[in-house]
Amino acid sequence: MQLTVWTYEGPPHVGAMRVATAMEGVHYVLHAPQGDTYADLLFTMIERRDRRPPVTYTTFEARDLGTDTAALFQATLRDAFERFQPRAMLVGASCTAELIQDDPAGLARAAGLPVPVIPLELPSYQRKENWGAAETFYQVVRTLAAGGSSRNDGGAVSTTVSSDVASGDPPLPAGISPSRGEIEGVGAALHSAPQQGADQKDAGGVSAGSISPLEGEMPGRAEGGEAGVIHSPGANEVADSTSAADARHAPRNAARPRCNILGPTALGFRHRDDVAEIRRLLGGIGIDVAVVAPLDASPDDIARLGEADFNVVLYPEIAGVAAKWLKRTFGQDFTTVVPIGVGATQDFIAEVRQLAKLPEAAGEARLGSGKAKSNLPWFSRSVDSNYLTGKRVFVFGDATHALAAARVATEEFGFTLCGLGTYSREFARDIRAAAERYGVEPLISDDYLDVEAAIAAAQPELVLGTQMERHVAKRLGIACAVISAPVHVQDYPARYSPQMGFEGANVLWDSWVHPLVMGLEEHLLGMFRDDFEFNDAARPSHLGGGARIAAEPEDEQEPSFPAATAASIAPGWLNEAELELKKIPFFVRGKARRNTEQFALERGLSQITVETLYDAKAHYSR
Amino acid sequence: MSGAAASPGVAVPSVGCAERPVLRERGQREVFCGLTGIVWLHRKIQDAFFLVVGSRTCAHLMQSAAGVMIFAEPRFATAVMEERDLAGLADANEELDAAVSRLIERRPDIRMLFLVGSCPSEVIKLDLSRAAARLSERYAPEVRILNYSGSGIETTFTQGEDNCLAALVPALPEAEAEAPSLLVVGALADVVEDQFARLFAAMGIGNVGFLPPRRARDLPPVGPSTRFLLAQPFLGETARALEERGASRIAAPFPLGAEGTTLWLKAAADSFGTDPMRFRAATAAAEARAKRALEPFRAELAGRSLFFFPDSQLEIPLARMLSRELGMRLTEVGTPYLHRRHLAEELELLPDEASLSEGQDVDRQLARARELRPDIAVCGLGLANPLEAEGLTTKWSIELLFTPIQGYEQAGDLASLFARPLDRKTRLRV
């Protein structure tokens, strides 16, 4: 049981909803109790969608339990099919329905609907939203893109390959699917694909500190099993349309290479804008986009995925598994660089050119292109940006955005990374590897309280995180910009604001610099600390009024962790020293206080004077 | 006692309510579960903390519903059950104890902790009442630990508050006094509570308690001498629990609008034998002020049609107020659950034109709304934007629970909540 104040991800069925809501012509029937419909408002309110998500909930109640919840599911499924006439359906259970074991897959099979019905097994007590989205997208792709291959031989094969019952897990109560162990190294052979770009990157002069492409696995994936499509007598409609995919091996007359863009969903952080930006970028280098999925894709579009030459994976958390299946099935390579930031966008272009078999752009042009297309390089070199140098930044988010932010922060803003973490446990390895390279402690946690403690300890000047880190930063009085889901309504801006590509780099520049106190203002604050209006307890002057909340962590009566009870033995601060301490900028004051106390303790000093403070400063600055 | 008959100057509809037909539907319900009540209860009882024992879905609901992600440090959290908790119940209890101890260490200011049951905790039959008793032994007297269910399989939205207050009732001290006391039941905004306290004092009813209290240690006493007045229409379980303690309910309509507030106060006044002159003296000025405040809104809203999707059980009192005091035209009035006894006085006042529905099959109900094309559709957050996109004007119902709307001084505010969407429509030229 995990004590959770905020959760970074929703349950896995919300991930499935993100895929279903992104698509056209798909309807999801979810076996769920009253109240689970709250998820609709994520889409209609937070993302401000103008339609209800294509989801029908069975809404069972306590009095239904043990009687006719299965019949309720079947009736709901039939009604939903008749009312919405989807081209394909998803069926599954939310956390509570998982416990009552009604077998939506079997019930859906028995219903004999004339469209493909894709059963989703999303273990709610083990997995979370991104895993659910990845699994759903994978099942959708596998079912609808399989085409006329022998994979769908008409048998109603359940998706769950329950062969892992033997994994030695403790016995589970009814309704809990057996733990699907973390399958390390599944698809490891496919990692040769990422390596293709590596040489080229070095050749391209990308600094050695750059972060390698994501190699995360979605653990617990039942790869290699048969697609879970339920075929019933009349279920040939989409199968027919997928036969078009048989033409995939036929030579196309296209002079231009084609790719699919995989990963964008509903409720994604800037997904729609990222797609627009990357589509434009690809067009500019002579590559056409065949299908974008799941965002705005119909079942017919999914059936055409195999026609493209390669796949662009924008969000590995969501599309990584499907991309690997597409590589195995259709031999489509996929991109491994996520184009966030100028450098990564250039690397992405190089990788895409290679996958598309386009000639490599001349070195000069390549290096120059980023500067011309994004303002970030020049803005960052502009002298007024000097004050950004070495600012301590704490990065936390999903793995894709956290890794990208770490690279951009260090290489393109000149910040110093003081913390790097993710809630995406599936990508822990990537984050650990990156953290080692940056010389920081990796933080792999989905516990908000742990993240809060890590930020408080790292004393950053800027937090790049999620909506949750915005809370932490607000409490600690630290500037913050949001770089990753989960986000709130204000992070669905009206204007075009991608994170990816060259325009995305401009957006990063604006949104990361904005929360900071500007250079000269910072100097003046340092010089005249006691000014009654312009002091460091005030917020940056361009951000309007309001006072910082608890500028110093130890000021805020943090009642939390027993470790913090050493205060009683700490040496006493003389008033004069205490006042002097207040003249140190707020973002390092906590650290200065701790260092000085440590310094005094080690030397057996019972009192801290101004002298002690400066002795300690000199000691630690060595 | 009939509140309507006691009301001066109010025309009572000639047709009663008893046989009013109700459309009962079941199907997909676009409503929150009872956990959502925590969103206001955790602000109301300032030293209480709510720990949901549930799944990640529950935690996600709590942070998503009503946009509470904006609060940096809420006084609620979720103990998220994981697979290993489901593997054996003894384990789940230990895990729960660990979560509670971490919580109490972090928040030593907590005086009352509610363990709140959810759908999964109920399906696996995790006994939270035993857990609460066990933990109470450890943390009493500093922290009192209670439990209730907010699960979606048992409760709809506001029924969570009902279960929470019902769980508080056994903890209330026994009323010693022989003299009758008044207990106002249902979470109200602090400002509204203070206004009511002043009004009751002016009426000569001095011994007034409020449930829930603002502080966990200020639990009001209850006993056979207690007469309670429901401030909210969704408190069936709480009323039952209070009656078990010997308290008696004062039947009344609910204090929405000038008329509703007068009838509600009058019911208490009659029960306590307040002199009618004194009652008028205490209430006349405020009632007149409320009516004046409503007047401009009446001009905007009279004749406009209104459709209620079920949400909070406030629908019938709201429909009564909006039709009788503002002249709005009722179409369908949907409610998740119709408590006929507690709403008897309301139903008597409700115009016949209203067609009542209980429960929900959301797609069918949407079809009816589209056909009726009401001037305002009152609905939850999942439906509001899609209906707006179809050209219907909506009022989010959750705002009706997050805004002080009860009492005389808030009558105008209540009306403005309904006038604002229409006002906005007329302003916008884009």
Side-chain angles (χ1 to χ4, degrees), chain A residues 157-355:
Chain A
V157 189
S158 167
T159 337
T160 24
V161 182
S162 301
S163 57
D164 38 13
V165 179
S167 60
D169 287 327
L172 298 168
I176 301 300
S177 54
S179 162
R180 301 191 223 166
E182 315 258 318
I183 306 175
E184 294 286 324
V186 166
L190 298 168
H191 284 165
S192 55
Q195 301 313 322
Q196 289 174 355
D199 302 345
Q200 183 187 352
K201 231 191 290 172
D202 290 341
V206 176
S207 81
S210 291
I211 294 311
S212 74
L214 282 179
E215 294 189 9
E217 288 297 333
M218 299 306 282
R221 281 258 50 295
E223 283 198 86
E226 289 302 306
V229 68
I230 292 168
H231 279 275
S232 37
N236 294 325
E237 197 183 345
V238 169
D240 284 347
S241 66
T242 59
S243 66
D246 284 347
R248 65 186 179 268
H249 297 305
R252 284 198 323 271
N253 60 356
R256 286 162 67 97
R258 291 203 297 173
C259 67
N260 302 311
I261 294 180
L262 304 182
T265 63
L267 207 66
F269 179 57
R270 312 285 167 86
H271 285 192
R272 193 171 290 276
D273 291 348
D274 284 347
V275 168
E277 183 68 16
I278 295 308
R279 188 194 282 274
R280 186 183 307 162
L281 185 78
L282 291 166
I285 53 178
I287 298 168
D288 289 338
V289 174
V291 174
V292 176
L295 192 62
D296 297 333
S298 67
D300 290 343
D301 292 329
I302 300 293
R304 293 193 294 116
L305 281 177
E307 294 174 31
D309 298 307
F310 66 97
N311 289 314
V312 168
V313 175
L314 292 189
Y315 310 100
E317 279 91 342
I318 294 163
V321 189
K324 283 170 190 161
W325 183 85
L326 288 165
K327 173 160 169 86
R328 269 206 311 280
T329 307
F330 300 113
Q332 290 169 319
D333 282 323
F334 55 88
T335 58
T336 59
V337 179
V338 177
I340 297 178
V342 173
T345 299
Q346 285 166 341
D347 291 350
F348 172 81
I349 291 170
E351 186 182 34
V352 158
R353 280 184 174 281
Q354 198 196 28
L355 293 179

Side-chain angles (χ1 to χ4, degrees), chain A residues 1-2 4 6-7 34 38 40 44 52 57 59 62 64 95-96 125-126 173 176-177 447 471 559, chain B residues 26 28-30 56 60 63 69 71 78 80 83 85-86 95 102 105-106 153 155-156 363 381 385:
Chain A
M1 215 172 271
Q2 187 191 2
T4 303
W6 301 113
T7 172
Q34 168 173 277
Y38 83 88
D40 285 359
T44 64
R52 291 166 63 210
Y57 305 77
T59 315
D64 299 324
C95 52
T96 307
Y125 299 93
Q126 293 177 47
I176 301 300
S177 54
D447 186 334
H471 294 325
Chain B
R26 74 160 299 182
Q28 176 172 330
R29 287 189 170 197
E30 198 74 21
R56 188 164 304 282
H60 201 233
Q63 73 185 34
M69 270 210 290
F71 298 151
T78 309
V80 174
E83 184 142 22
D85 301 308
L86 301 171
E95 293 272 319
R102 186 177 181 195
E105 261 171 45
R106 185 177 158 79
I153 56 177
T155 62
T156 298
D363 287 297
L381 296 173
N385 266 339

Side-chain angles (χ1 to χ4, degrees), chain B residues 36 56 169 183 233 261 300 319 334:
Chain B
T36 327
R56 188 164 304 282
V169 170
L183 182 62
T261 304
E300 286 175 52

Side-chain angles (χ1 to χ4, degrees), chain A residues 332-460:
Chain A
Q332 290 169 319
D333 282 323
F334 55 88
T335 58
T336 59
V337 179
V338 177
I340 297 178
V342 173
T345 299
Q346 285 166 341
D347 291 350
F348 172 81
I349 291 170
E351 186 182 34
V352 158
R353 280 184 174 281
Q354 198 196 28
L355 293 179
K357 303 187 173 55
L358 292 173
E360 217 171 307
E364 259 317 288
R366 239 192 99 231
L367 288 177
S369 62
K371 279 181 207 154
K373 287 174 183 165
S374 172
N375 290 321
L376 186 148
W378 172 240
F379 277 37
S380 210
R381 285 171 198 283
S382 165
V383 288
D384 65 285
S385 298
N386 250 305
Y387 78 103
L388 299 176
T389 311
K391 270 201 187 297
R392 295 162 55 77
V393 179
F394 191 101
V395 173
F396 192 86
D398 67 21
T400 299
H401 289 86
L403 288 173
R407 176 174 175 185
V408 175
T410 52
E411 295 179 11
E412 300 179 19
F413 281 71
F415 292 149
T416 296
L417 206 64
C418 67
L420 173 64
T422 185
Y423 56 81
S424 311
R425 290 185 179 278
E426 295 89 345
F427 293 82
R429 253 187 312 181
D430 304 87
I431 292 285
R432 287 205 181 92
E436 198 180 331
R437 252 164 299 172
Y438 289 115
V440 295
E441 196 64 27
L443 174 64
I444 315 295
S445 176
D446 59 356
D447 186 334
Y448 167 82
L449 301 177
D450 288 350
V451 179
E452 182 184 58
I455 293 174
Q459 300 268 325

Side-chain angles (χ1 to χ4, degrees), chain B residues 30-87:
Chain B
E30 198 74 21
V31 291
F32 289 133
C33 62
L35 296 180
T36 327
I38 294 170
V39 173
W40 62 89
L41 288 169
H42 89 283
R43 302 306 251 193
K44 177 70 197 180
I45 315 175
Q46 293 177 16
D47 48 1
F49 197 99
F50 294 78
L51 180 64
V52 177
V53 181
S55 63
R56 188 164 304 282
T57 314
C58 306
H60 201 233
L61 158 86
M62 289 303 300
Q63 73 185 34
S64 310
V68 291
M69 270 210 290
I70 52 172
F71 298 151
E73 182 75 6
R75 288 186 293 265
F76 61 78
T78 309
V80 174
M81 295 193 289
E82 292 159 323
E83 184 142 22
R84 60 174 196 275
D85 301 308
L86 301 171

Side-chain angles (χ1 to χ4, degrees), chain A residues 1-14 33-42 44-46 48-53 55-65 68 72 79 83-84 94-96 99-100 123-129 170-173 176-180 267 446-450 452 467-468 471 474-475 486-490 558-562, chain B residues 26-33 49 51 53-74 76-88 91-93 95-97 99-100 102-103 105-109 118-124 126 151-157 159 361-364 366 370 381-387 389-390 396:
Chain A
M1 215 172 271
Q2 187 191 2
L3 179 63
T4 303
V5 181
W6 301 113
T7 172
Y8 286 96
E9 295 181 71
H13 71 260
V14 167
Q34 168 173 277
D36 283 4
T37 49
Y38 83 88
D40 285 359
L41 77 85
L42 301 171
T44 64
M45 296 303 291
I46 295 180
R48 298 190 185 92
R49 282 188 170 254
D50 63 359
R51 274 177 294 172
R52 291 166 63 210
V55 182
T56 299
Y57 305 77
T58 56
T59 315
F60 57 83
E61 298 172 53
R63 62 173 182 222
D64 299 324
L65 293 178
D68 54 356
L72 178 63
D79 287 353
R83 179 171 286 126
F84 298 104
S94 78
C95 52
T96 307
L99 297 170
I100 62 174
S124 304
Y125 299 93
Q126 293 177 47
R127 302 294 176 210
K128 286 174 280 179
E129 181 177 334
L172 298 168
I176 301 300
S177 54
S179 162
R180 301 191 223 166
L267 207 66
D446 59 356
D447 186 334
Y448 167 82
L449 301 177
D450 288 350
E452 182 184 58
Q467 169 68 24
M468 308 313 166
H471 294 325
K474 189 172 154 197
R475 288 187 70 205
V487 297
H488 205 25
V489 64
Q490 70 269 41
E558 199 160 85
S560 49
F561 312 100
Chain B
R26 74 160 299 182
Q28 176 172 330
R29 287 189 170 197
E30 198 74 21
V31 291
F32 289 133
C33 62
F49 197 99
L51 180 64
V53 181
S55 63
R56 188 164 304 282
T57 314
C58 306
H60 201 233
L61 158 86
M62 289 303 300
Q63 73 185 34
S64 310
V68 291
M69 270 210 290
I70 52 172
F71 298 151
E73 182 75 6
F76 61 78
T78 309
V80 174
M81 295 193 289
E82 292 159 323
E83 184 142 22
R84 60 174 196 275
D85 301 308
L86 301 171
D91 198 28
N93 281 316
E95 293 272 319
L96 178 59
D97 291 3
V100 167
R102 186 177 181 195
L103 182 67
E105 261 171 45
R106 185 177 158 79
R107 299 294 301 255
D109 50 326
S118 65
C119 298
S121 79
E122 283 181 13
V123 168
I124 68 163
L126 186 60
S151 83
I153 56 177
E154 297 275 6
T155 62
T156 298
F157 198 20
Q159 284 174 316
D361 181 330
V362 71
D363 287 297
R364 285 169 194 264
L366 281 167
R370 288 180 184 118
L381 296 173
L383 297 178
N385 266 339
L387 286 175
E390 290 179 28
W396 317 349

